[in-house]
Amino acid sequence: LTEWLRPECGADIYVVGLQEMVDLTAKNILTVTGNVERQQDFDAKFWRVLRSMGEFVKVRSVALVGLYIAVFMRQELSTEIRGLDCDRVKTGAGGSAGNKGA
């Protein structure tokens, strides 16, 4: 992860998107939240790298089936966040299943 985050750049905000965070079964496609355990595992690994780069906070994360997006930013900038809103929309099978391609 360190190579991807490039600490030498000194970024203030990191937005990370991952896919295939669940085994694609019929049951999982109907699940909105995805695999929470895998998400937490990724967050823990990401936090280990971020801690070496300064003080960061997790602004928000959201998952839909196998997709997971997380936003992290420097602690000192977190007071600038206002009116944060995010959601997930199922678009597959007439709105009853997740579909990342829609």
Side-chain angles (χ1 to χ4, degrees):
L1 286 176
T2 303
E3 289 179 27
W4 291 355
L5 298 180
R6 299 181 58 208
E8 69 277 5
C9 292
D12 294 325
I13 300 172
Y14 288 94
V15 179
V16 181
L18 302 171
Q19 63 182 22
E20 312 311 342
M21 293 285 285
V22 297
D23 297 323
L24 294 179
T25 64
K27 177 184 174 190
N28 286 342
I29 290 172
L30 296 175
T31 302
V32 175
T33 59
N35 186 320
V36 175
E37 185 176 307
R38 285 186 185 171
Q39 294 163 24
Q40 291 171 341
D41 183 49
F42 168 77
D43 282 354
K45 290 174 182 172
F46 203 78
W47 277 120
R48 280 195 290 275
V49 175
L50 284 178
R51 279 191 205 107
S52 69
M53 298 165 45
E55 294 291 320
F56 281 83
V57 295
K58 183 176 179 181
V59 177
R60 185 72 160 96
S61 64
V62 66
L64 175 62
V65 187
L67 295 179
Y68 178 68
I69 298 174
V71 179
F72 300 85
M73 73 183 310
R74 291 198 181 274
Q75 172 74 41
E76 64 267 20
L77 298 175
S78 64
T79 58
E80 302 298 321
I81 300 294
R82 291 175 184 74
L84 180 66
D85 188 24
C86 67
D87 205 348
R88 57 184 76 84
V89 178
K90 293 179 178 184
T91 59
S96 63
N99 181 3
K100 65 184 173 206

